[in-house]
Amino acid sequence: MALCRVAFYLLLSILLAETTLCYPSQVYVVYMGSKGSQSSDDILKQNHQMLTAVHGGSMEEAQASHVYTYSNGFRGFAARLSKEQASQMADMPGVVSVLPNLKRSLHTTRSWDFIGLGTNEEMEIPGFSTKNQENVIIGFIDTGIWPESLSFGDAGMPAVPSRWKGRCQTGESFTQSSCNKYQHQLFIEFGGFLCICLHLLAPHRKVIGARYYLNGYEAEEGSHGDPLKADNTVKFKSPRDSSGHGSHTASIAAGRYVSDMNYNGLGAGGARGGAPMSRIAVYKTCWDSGCYDADLLAAFDDAIRDGVDIISVSLGPSYPQGDYFDDAISIGSFHATSHGIVVVSSAGNVGSRGSATNLAPWMLTVAASSTDREFASSILLGNGKKFVGESLSSSNMNRSTRIVSASEVNGGYFTPYQSSFCLDSSLNKTKARGKILICRHSGSASESRIEKSQVVKKAGGVGMIMIDETENDVAIPFVIPAATVGKEAGIKILSYANHTRKPRAIIMPAKAVLGSRLAPRVAAFSSKGPNSLTAEILKPDIAAPGLNILAAWSPAVNEMKYNILSGTSMSCPHATGLVALIKAVYPTWTPSAIKSAIMTTASVTDKNGGAITADPKGRPANPFDYGAGFPDPSRLLDPGLVYDAQPPDYRAFLCSVGYDDKSLQLITGDGSVCSGPRPSPSNLNYPSITVPDLKGSSHITRTVTNVGKPGAVYRVQVSPPTGINVTVVPNILTFTSYGQKLNFTVTFRATYPSKDYVFGYISWRTHRIRVTSPLAVRASSSETGFL
């Protein structure tokens, strides 16, 4: 044994000596500016010559020290150098700078960094402690969870809050140890005796509860055999996530820090959720074909009982949404809110005006926006023109190849127009083989972008350029080299393909690009207002990142641990994470107060100070796109004033939209009645004000509660909508105590009719606080007196 130990240390010393001999220095980057016209081989040769000069003429040492050559977008190299050699290199002709190879922190879940929260789990918002996250419990009504994901680790988390009443429901591939504490017998030999002890294993302190709901699903789908065994995809009759969606949303809101998150190498780096120390409770109600109302309501019911603080619902009814109490999510959220639970929901992905869903005023409804990171693929045409499209395809084309419109390779009974959409079996394999095809995408829900790439591959195509008429900037994991471009770029590419004798192109692998476009901007697919159910309530309420978001995934799907998705399903948990931070600081605040804090402190400018725009045309966005704007974490914990709606306010709202006494009493479970004249729905104490049919003048009352310092004096600032005169009485609010409530009245008077809604805002201000509410007004043209 001693001889082996000596041999080991001798070998180790030799290896260390060799390492020291070969690599005595740290790595430096020698930056030499633009590439110019030199070939890569010439640049490499010159780099070696420069390195040889600082290595005393030794080509062998120069080559051994070389790490990288940069010869594409710019010129330079990286090498192991001593400080003296680096100094010599800096003085050489053609060297711009020599940079030490410092360690940098990469941001993968770029959305949180973009919003204003760093990757450090313990990082606080200046002036406030959010360490109480560990007592905040978020319920996710979704497709379940993959509890073993690094995003859901519980290292360093304290014991589960004693108030938690939830359970860990077992099922396929999901045991008690997947989330909650359990007991088993431990056999210990002690003093020659076999002791049978009852051993309590430590509970999972991150995923503290999990349930799944199948009854409503099986009642509808059961006649088709076993719906969970319909194909080869792994599915679980348990809270385990087989689709990935639930794991993705949970990690966005509350995922722990993961040091190396990426999607096939894209966006590699560290990632965390918005409230990484918050607890997770899972309510799996959604299966491959959808989420049934019976299951959804059961989940809401259990979540209320279990003791969650927040419910995150990244799903919703079809557009147009029906009555509030004909919709399971509206019903469940109404009762959750009545129990002090904040319900956060997605606005929908239809994209057209008036298509927003989850319209109940007791919910926080979230639109989708971009961040400053995109996943882009370059398209190089044979004429030297370059276009950039969205893609997640890492496939590499070795050389350029022929490019042709899919309409030119139609097959079978398909017309050129039909084949231009690359429909299944619409392409002639002989004509398509070996070519890049230009396909169209109309944006219809029946069309799958991924399937189009599969159709092209099946026909023998080696690449695809997709012209997306909706221009929604969604990056897709195509199965072949492919990229999505908008209509303008698509027309130019088609023109080249149709008017060039032998058109050629090459599609480069996707890469992450930062800062190439203004951000945030509202995603084209994000559903928009006005509220189709109650126009007096502005929806959506807020916008948050929902475009190309990287987060945890279920390995049951293609053995992937992480994935990039787009949708308001992704923006919803971003808002959920912010709600959790507020709840950590102010655990007694009502759901409406928390909603108000997020909305009234939001920004309507991008990171460069310009107006937020809306895709695809880049028009200035408005409250129907983003609600109150884009959240600002530096301000939402100190909102100054909040618009706090209590249960009586919601009862008055229900009266205002037509509910009678009987219906109201059934909903509220008490003796509530609609007394006196019905108020306008606009008078609900909401953080925004909408007047959809202004005739002459309208008076809207609001109540604000002081959650800032006593003695604060607020003065109103008004930016009136075009053609609308707006006055606020009183125009100064003076608060003498914390929690004090004061009323004010906003009077709208139309100076001329508007063909459509016009927008403005009112803002209560001190020297450091702004409490801003968006205004949306449409003046009726039927009122006499207009010219």
Side-chain angles (χ1 to χ4, degrees), residues 182-217:
Y182 74 107
Q183 294 177 326
H184 74 177
Q185 288 181 329
L186 183 65
F187 296 88
I188 302 176
E189 186 174 352
F190 181 75
F193 296 95
L194 189 65
C195 176
I196 303 177
C197 305
L198 191 64
H199 179 64
L200 182 65
L201 289 188
H204 196 300
R205 297 181 173 185
K206 180 64 175 178
V207 182
I208 64 173
R211 303 173 184 266
Y212 70 100
Y213 304 85
L214 259 176
N215 292 347
Y217 179 88

Side-chain angles (χ1 to χ4, degrees), residues 191-527:
F193 296 95
L194 189 65
C195 176
I196 303 177
C197 305
L198 191 64
H199 179 64
L200 182 65
L201 289 188
H204 196 300
R205 297 181 173 185
K206 180 64 175 178
V207 182
I208 64 173
R211 303 173 184 266
Y212 70 100
Y213 304 85
L214 259 176
N215 292 347
Y217 179 88
E218 289 186 329
E220 301 296 332
E221 307 281 341
S223 61
H224 306 297
D226 187 344
L228 300 184
K229 305 294 183 183
D231 54 39
N232 294 325
T233 303
V234 179
K235 301 177 178 68
F236 308 101
K237 288 186 177 181
S238 74
R240 184 168 293 278
D241 183 10
S242 62
S243 77
H245 190 276
S247 301
H248 201 268
T249 56
S251 69
I252 291 172
R256 300 299 302 276
Y257 179 77
V258 177
S259 61
D260 184 23
M261 184 181 289
N262 67 87
Y263 174 81
N264 291 336
L266 287 172
R272 53 156 272 187
M277 296 298 284
S278 293
R279 317 291 182 153
I280 292 173
V282 176
Y283 301 87
K284 181 179 177 180
T285 60
C286 298
W287 309 85
D288 279 3
S289 64
C291 325
Y292 283 90
D293 282 356
D295 298 330
L296 290 171
L297 285 172
F300 270 106
D301 192 42
D302 283 341
I304 293 169
R305 178 181 57 192
D306 290 346
V308 302
D309 299 296
I310 305 162
I311 296 177
S312 189
V313 190
S314 287
L315 54 111
S318 300
Y319 160 77
Q321 179 180 331
D323 185 82
Y324 298 118
F325 291 93
D326 289 334
D327 172 63
I329 296 175
S330 296
I331 295 169
S333 62
F334 178 84
H335 294 286
T337 303
S338 300
H339 284 79
I341 300 169
V342 185
V343 180
V344 188
S345 61
S346 47
N349 300 326
V350 176
S352 58
R353 175 168 166 148
S355 61
T357 56
N358 286 325
L359 301 172
W362 43 84
M363 304 166 71
L364 177 63
T365 307
V366 191
S369 66
S370 71
T371 68
D372 61 348
R373 181 176 69 181
E374 307 199 36
F375 297 99
S377 181
S378 296
I379 302 166
L380 307 178
L381 302 183
N383 61 2
K385 296 291 180 63
K386 176 182 176 181
F387 297 88
V388 177
E390 289 77 30
S391 180
L392 296 176
S393 174
S394 58
S395 303
N396 195 18
M397 296 184 69
N398 296 323
R399 58 185 177 83
S400 65
T401 188
R402 287 288 299 273
I403 180 173
V404 62
S405 171
S407 63
E408 301 295 323
V409 296
N410 60 301
Y413 296 101
F414 289 89
T415 66
Y417 176 78
Q418 291 171 324
S419 67
S420 71
F421 289 93
C422 294
L423 304 177
D424 189 24
S425 302
S426 68
L427 305 176
N428 183 299
K429 293 184 178 181
T430 301
K431 296 179 181 179
R433 186 175 297 113
K435 297 180 177 64
I436 296 173
L437 301 190
I438 305 171
C439 302
R440 297 171 60 193
H441 181 71
S442 69
S444 168
S446 62
E447 291 183 79
S448 166
R449 295 171 174 85
I450 295 179
E451 287 180 6
K452 289 181 188 290
S453 67
Q454 293 169 338
V455 169
V456 172
K457 181 179 181 180
K458 184 179 178 181
V462 297
M464 180 182 73
I465 298 171
M466 179 180 292
I467 303 174
D468 183 6
E469 296 180 5
T470 62
E471 301 187 56
N472 62 19
D473 292 341
V474 174
I476 299 296
F478 299 111
V479 298
I480 54 176
T484 302
V485 298
K487 286 190 291 186
E488 184 177 344
I491 290 172
K492 294 177 181 178
I493 295 172
L494 274 174
S495 177
Y496 167 75
N498 294 333
H499 298 92
T500 304
R501 185 167 176 267
K502 292 183 178 181
R504 302 184 69 84
I506 185 170
I507 302 172
M508 308 302 293
K511 61 181 180 179
V513 180
L514 296 180
S516 63
R517 299 176 65 179
L518 295 176
R521 61 186 185 281
V522 179
F525 60 76
S526 184
S527 291

Side-chain angles (χ1 to χ4, degrees), residues 520-778:
R521 61 186 185 281
V522 179
F525 60 76
S526 184
S527 291
K528 301 166 177 59
N531 187 323
S532 62
L533 194 54
T534 307
E536 291 84 356
I537 302 298
L538 178 67
K539 289 289 179 175
D541 294 306
I542 200 77
L547 182 65
N548 301 326
I549 305 299
L550 175 61
W553 196 245
S554 168
V557 186
N558 298 324
E559 298 183 353
M560 295 193 308
K561 295 181 179 179
Y562 312 106
N563 200 4
I564 294 173
L565 291 184
S566 296
T568 54
S569 279
M570 284 66 253
S571 58
C572 170
H574 277 97
T576 300
L578 295 175
V579 169
L581 295 180
I582 299 175
K583 193 73 177 178
V585 178
Y586 305 110
T588 62
W589 277 16
T590 65
S592 58
I594 292 174
K595 177 199 292 187
S596 175
I598 293 175
M599 292 177 64
T600 61
T601 59
S603 171
V604 294
T605 59
D606 62 30
K607 295 300 182 178
N608 290 338
I612 293 177
T613 60
D615 283 336
K617 300 297 183 182
R619 61 172 173 81
N622 61 56
F624 287 160
D625 300 302
Y626 53 55
F630 191 80
D632 184 349
S634 68
R635 297 179 55 217
L636 55 77
L637 291 178
D638 188 19
L641 308 174
V642 294
Y643 294 84
D644 193 8
Q646 300 290 337
D649 297 302
Y650 291 124
R651 291 196 290 267
F653 169 78
L654 293 176
C655 291
S656 73
V657 296
Y659 284 85
D660 58 23
D661 292 349
K662 182 179 180 181
S663 299
L664 184 64
Q665 290 168 13
L666 289 172
I667 293 167
T668 62
D670 56 25
S672 299
V673 295
C674 296
S675 58
R678 294 183 183 272
S680 166
S682 296
N683 273 311
L684 176 66
N685 201 39
Y686 212 70
S688 57
I689 300 177
T690 304
V691 183
D693 189 22
L694 178 61
K695 298 178 180 179
S697 63
S698 178
H699 307 281
I700 305 297
T701 301
R702 287 290 187 269
T703 302
V704 285
T705 303
N706 181 33
V707 293
K709 296 179 179 180
V713 178
Y714 289 84
R715 290 175 169 80
V716 75
Q717 179 182 359
V718 179
S719 176
T722 302
I724 307 296
N725 180 271
V726 180
T727 57
V728 180
V729 178
N731 60 8
I732 297 177
L733 298 176
T734 302
F735 294 89
T736 58
S737 61
Y738 180 89
Q740 182 182 359
K741 298 178 183 293
L742 291 177
N743 298 332
F744 64 90
T745 300
V746 184
T747 298
F748 298 90
R749 189 178 302 277
T751 57
Y752 55 84
S754 51
K755 295 181 179 179
D756 200 352
Y757 283 90
V758 286
F759 305 96
Y761 66 83
I762 61 169
S763 184
W764 292 102
R765 301 193 174 207
T766 68
H767 66 284
R768 66 179 187 86
I769 291 178
R770 302 189 307 273
V771 187
T772 304
S773 295
L775 307 176
V777 183
R778 182 173 58 186

Side-chain angles (χ1 to χ4, degrees), residues 80-93:
R80 296 179 180 88
L81 302 171
S82 66
K83 284 187 177 180
E84 293 75 16
Q85 290 169 331
S87 179
Q88 293 177 41
M89 195 70 73
D91 293 331
M92 288 186 176

